[in-house]
Amino acid sequence: MRFRHTPLALAAACLFVSAAQAQTEAADAPRQLDPVQVTATREAEPVTMIPAAITVVTGEQMRALGASDLRTALNLVAGVEISPGGDGGPAGSVPAMWGLREFDAFLLVVDGVPAGGAFNPALTTLDLNNIERIEVLRGAAPVMYGATSFVGVIHVRHYAAGQADRRLSATVGGPSGRFGSFSVNAATVLSDGDIKQSISGNVEKRNFKDERAGVERGHVLYRLGSGGFRLDADVVRLDQEPDSPVLRDAATVLTTRTPLDANHNPSDAKIDTTRVAISAGYVRDTALGAWDTTLALTNTRDDIVKGYLENAPLAADPVNAHGYAQERTITDLYFDTHLRSMPAASLGLTWGIDALLGKGEQESAVFPYTVNRDGSGAPSSGTARNCAPNPPTCESNESEDERQFLGAYVQADWSVTPRWTVLAGLRLNQTHEKQEGEDDSTSPPTQATDEETETRFSGGIGSSYKLWDGGEDHLVVYADYRNTFKPAAIDFGPEGEANILEPEEAHAYEGGFKGALLDGRLSYDLSVFTMKFENSVFAQQTAAGNPALANAGVLYFKGGEFESRFRLLADLSLYANYARHDLRFGDFVRTFGGTPRQLRGNYQELAPQNIGALGLIYAPSLGFNASAVYHYTGRRWLNQRNTVRAGDYETLDAAVGYRVGRFEISLRGNNLTDQRDAVSESELGDAQYFRMPARTVELGFSMDL
């Protein structure tokens, strides 16, 4: 049974929460401190006067929600959709911010270092154990991080060296009929004197409804700090058995020709990842101010076997699927050094240089194979790669990509008056990319190279003005403009081509109100935005049927987002958010079936116009605790021609627990409505979509250390 609703009901609920709160009194509620962010400025500053929409999700809030992945952690952030799974495997996710669901349109930062470096966000290896907070910035960060994002930054921050959640926890559970998932997480402080040390780690095994899909993970993070020196060592081993996307039928939206959880990958399908990251930094005081330097090196190795069905004909052709085996290595180097100067008491300057370097190499073997509609009879990759009786249909290739993002930046934070601040910055970017590809299945092998260098400015300017200041209560109006560009993504798919696309470009305007009422118990942020986005990247199929990327034309964004939190009682908080997004194509001509078609005015695929959430968290220090989050996703088109439309859907996540002394037991459920709607599109198979994972239930136990 589905909950009945309308998008207007969610908007009304948000307004009702705000209005009802004005009549609610809770004298025993503690004062709400303004959350602090570092994403927009690199310095710890309160969110209130930053001229941008920023949400801070605390570790306490995540633990109260029982959040173990990015979707459940950010469910209460306005306008943010996190679709679990995707081409990266069931451990990954595909975020959408400002409505855009593009795998590299946002930037993932972990403890001050871009995770994924010069390529794509490292979402599959992201671990949410021992989190202090997550900062979510809507829109680009064109000064501090340059040519790396367009629609937002997700900054995950673990507890610093010498600090930790100091907890041991374990869970067991899984989806109905596939119980057997488990996790064990621990975090503690090793020393907190002159030399500060902490360590956190976890092991987990996750099952899914598909019997051939799963995740096994082991992760350790060690943090050290002494004086101004800091060192992080992060090691992840992740073994995934990938699931399959679902084909699209024009008449039924998602096909009924294959079972709901059929897996059409080769029988030995895998995405096995080893990631080692070392980060060091040093901060010292100088005559010019605090000088902070960071150097980080990351190496990621992937061993991949995957496959996908051909959409048509599914039954007539005895060879109905293609797969690939790939070995991939990506090395990232990040360097940043900057000074925080104070030329005057009201003026702060952050200026520095940074470099983000990446090198990726892959070797792939592409092969056809045959699999039954229900996923049975899938051959191993070794058998399929024999290519009998038609050897020419096999391919082997290799490619290499080197990227360099260099930048020099300066940003000024000026308090013009106690009520009026201006944040403005400029960055000079130079990006250089070189691609090499080789198709070894031809004689002689076909080789290709491409090289591109871009030198451009990016930057932004924004201002905040406090219209009303009543101590804990206040009202701030803000506006900003940001422009940036980014070299087009490379997905290291199973092709040996070298084709550097045009860089993506964006010009965005944002404005809104943020503030607090009722002695700080009610906080809110209402923002509107518009953006022109050029040369966006989309997935397509080559004439040979292989996946490839290409530039689109122009996309126009506009929308509004509202979020609020009301502390009803000392331990009881109510959350509400709603977003309206409108993403449409400008001048964009694409060929379908050999016929060019102008898509001007069409909606971007998989971009719902309406999304929203309601959440309730009751988290006392002892005794009973509970949380519930209802999330609504509106209707959206599944294709660029806007001929196939998916309906709206709702999810419900809930948790209950009981705490005695140092011990707590809990029961958590995710997607309790068991919605299996399409949430992200595959970049590999044509017109294929990953579904929302099935309902899962977990029993948890934790102990303070």
Side-chain angles (χ1 to χ4, degrees):
M1 177 178 178
R2 292 172 61 88
F3 300 125
R4 301 315 305 160
H5 56 77
T6 66
L8 290 177
L10 267 176
C14 292
L15 295 175
F16 171 79
V17 168
S18 300
Q21 292 154 355
Q23 303 178 24
T24 303
E25 293 191 6
D28 58 336
R31 289 182 178 270
Q32 180 76 23
L33 297 177
D34 193 4
V36 171
Q37 63 78 47
V38 298
T39 303
T41 59
R42 289 196 191 271
E43 301 298 321
E45 295 188 19
V47 168
T48 296
M49 296 303 292
I50 300 296
I54 302 177
T55 301
V56 177
V57 180
T58 65
E60 289 80 3
Q61 178 182 329
M62 291 175 53
R63 287 181 280 277
L65 292 171
S68 58
D69 61 13
L70 208 56
R71 183 188 77 86
T72 51
L74 303 185
N75 244 349
L76 293 174
V77 179
V80 176
E81 295 178 85
I82 308 293
S83 302
D87 286 320
S93 57
V94 184
M97 302 175 73
W98 277 2
L100 182 61
R101 195 181 309 273
E102 187 176 300
F103 61 90
D104 76 322
F106 82 104
L107 174 65
L108 176 66
V109 181
V110 178
D111 298 321
V113 177
F119 296 106
N120 300 313
L123 285 164
T124 58
T125 54
L126 176 64
D127 184 77
L128 297 183
N129 184 33
N130 198 37
I131 297 296
E132 181 187 18
R133 68 183 187 272
I134 299 178
E135 301 172 9
V136 181
L137 168 70
R138 279 69 144 198
V143 179
M144 293 303 172
Y145 293 103
T148 54
S149 71
F150 293 106
V151 294
V153 180
I154 298 175
H155 192 167
V156 178
R157 297 187 65 84
H158 296 88
Y159 281 101
Q163 304 174 28
D165 186 32
R166 296 178 185 260
R167 182 176 304 194
L168 172 66
S169 62
T171 65
V172 293
S176 175
R178 287 280 291 151
F179 291 112
S181 300
F182 70 87
S183 68
V184 179
N185 305 275
T188 191
V189 172
L190 300 178
S191 62
D192 59 0
D194 292 338
I195 298 179
K196 298 176 173 57
Q197 300 178 86
S198 55
I199 190 168
S200 61
N202 76 310
V203 294
E204 71 169 327
K205 174 183 169 63
R206 290 168 52 199
N207 292 333
F208 296 84
K209 288 291 285 186
D210 172 18
E211 294 185 0
R212 290 204 291 130
V215 174
E216 294 183 0
R217 181 201 309 265
H219 171 246
V220 175
L221 170 62
Y222 168 77
R223 311 201 75 180
L224 178 147
S226 180
F229 177 75
R230 61 186 182 271
L231 175 69
D232 292 349
D234 194 338
V235 179
V236 180
R237 172 65 188 188
L238 176 67
D239 293 344
Q240 300 184 77
E241 295 177 280
D243 51 353
S244 288
V246 182
L247 304 177
R248 186 188 77 218
D249 284 340
T252 61
V253 182
L254 297 183
T255 187
T256 58
R257 295 180 291 167
T258 59
L260 180 63
D261 290 299
N263 192 331
H264 302 103
N265 283 287
S267 61
D268 59 339
K270 60 182 176 180
I271 308 176
D272 293 348
T273 302
T274 301
R275 182 176 185 269
V276 179
I278 304 294
S279 175
Y282 185 71
V283 59
R284 59 169 298 181
D285 291 328
T286 71
L288 295 176
W291 180 17
D292 196 340
T293 300
T294 300
L295 178 65
L297 178 65
T298 304
N299 180 263
T300 305
R301 296 179 180 271
D302 297 299
D303 187 5
I304 301 171
V305 174
K306 288 187 65 177
Y308 54 93
L309 279 178
E310 299 293 345
N311 200 343
L314 181 59
D317 191 342
V319 177
N320 62 1
H322 276 80
Y324 69 96
Q326 182 183 81
E327 293 184 357
R328 180 171 64 201
T329 301
I330 297 176
T331 302
D332 299 307
L333 178 67
Y334 175 68
F335 172 77
D336 173 81
T337 186
H338 66 271
L339 277 161
R340 174 67 174 179
S341 302
M342 297 293 294
S346 61
L347 177 62
L349 290 178
T350 303
W351 46 291
I353 59 173
D354 62 16
L356 188 57
L357 314 177
K359 180 178 181 180
E361 302 172 281
Q362 67 86 16
E363 295 182 0
S364 297
V366 183
F367 52 86
Y369 64 98
T370 302
V371 60
N372 296 324
R373 292 189 185 186
D374 63 0
S376 64
S380 69
S381 60
T383 301
R385 286 163 67 179
N386 290 330
C387 291
N390 192 16
T393 60
C394 278
E395 300 177 19
S396 59
N397 59 69
E398 55 188 280
S399 64
E400 179 179 302
D401 190 285
E402 295 183 6
R403 285 185 161 194
Q404 301 175 5
F405 295 178
L406 309 177
Y409 59 89
V410 60
Q411 181 165 274
D413 187 354
W414 181 25
S415 296
V416 184
T417 71
R419 290 176 176 264
W420 180 21
T421 65
V422 174
L423 183 68
L426 186 66
R427 180 187 182 98
L428 176 62
N429 302 277
Q430 184 180 80
T431 65
H432 177 76
E433 182 170 11
K434 181 179 181 181
Q435 291 183 7
E436 298 180 359
E438 181 175 304
D439 185 349
D440 297 325
S441 54
T442 63
S443 182
T446 303
Q447 296 181 334
T449 61
D450 200 357
E451 193 166 358
E452 188 73 32
T453 299
E454 295 279 349
T455 302
R456 301 192 189 186
F457 284 101
S458 64
I461 183 170
S463 182
S464 297
Y465 186 79
K466 187 171 288 188
L467 294 173
W468 170 55
D469 188 356
E472 293 293 322
D473 297 344
H474 55 272
L475 174 62
V476 175
V477 59
Y478 64 92
D480 66 79
Y481 164 74
R482 285 172 270 181
N483 77 79
T484 191
F485 78 102
K486 185 178 187 300
I490 177 172
D491 60 354
F492 287 104
E495 61 272 347
E497 301 173 354
N499 179 28
I500 298 176
L501 302 178
E502 291 295 317
E504 299 170 301
E505 302 179 41
H507 297 264
Y509 299 86
E510 179 188 31
F513 297 89
K514 64 176 77 172
L517 293 170
L518 302 175
D519 292 329
R521 296 198 310 274
L522 167 62
S523 59
Y524 58 89
D525 192 331
L526 172 65
S527 63
V528 295
F529 65 88
T530 180
M531 181 169 71
K532 182 180 180 182
F533 190 33
E534 300 178 84
N535 296 327
S536 64
V537 174
F538 70 96
Q540 65 174 5
Q541 299 288 308
T542 66
N546 292 326
L549 299 176
N551 285 118
V554 178
L555 273 172
Y556 291 100
F557 292 58
K558 62 182 179 180
E561 300 178 345
F562 170 78
E563 71 180 23
S564 65
R565 176 190 179 184
F566 180 49
R567 188 181 293 273
L568 296 164
L569 300 170
D571 303 313
L572 179 64
S573 294
L574 178 66
Y575 298 78
N577 70 61
Y578 172 75
R580 172 80 176 184
H581 295 154
D582 189 297
L583 279 66
R584 302 199 191 201
F585 290 107
D587 182 16
F588 177 28
V589 178
R590 186 179 173 189
T591 300
F592 297 94
T595 303
R597 178 166 177 174
Q598 172 62 258
L599 299 179
R600 185 191 304 273
N602 282 16
Y603 290 96
Q604 169 83 351
E605 68 271 27
L606 281 171
Q609 288 188 291
N610 300 286
I611 57 174
L614 292 170
L616 191 67
I617 297 178
Y618 178 58
S621 58
L622 294 173
F624 174 78
N625 57 76
S627 67
V629 177
Y630 162 80
H631 197 279
Y632 167 75
T633 302
R635 295 186 299 170
R636 61 259 182 245
W637 297 103
L638 293 185
N639 62 343
Q640 294 177 342
R641 288 177 290 175
N642 289 181
T643 59
V644 182
R645 194 170 194 174
D648 54 4
Y649 69 94
E650 305 113 331
T651 61
L652 177 65
D653 303 323
V656 294
Y658 194 84
R659 183 176 180 85
V660 178
R662 298 163 51 209
F663 304 96
E664 182 177 353
I665 189 168
S666 61
L667 181 65
R668 297 191 288 268
N670 290 334
N671 189 18
L672 293 174
T673 52
D674 203 27
Q675 298 300 303
R676 306 301 309 280
D677 297 70
V679 293
S680 62
E681 187 172 6
S682 174
E683 304 283 353
L684 295 173
D686 182 34
Q688 301 187 23
Y689 303 84
F690 289 95
R691 296 180 185 266
M692 176 70 72
R695 176 195 299 119
T696 61
V697 178
E698 293 181 335
L699 179 65
F701 169 82
S702 68
M703 177 181 69
D704 292 344
L705 299 175

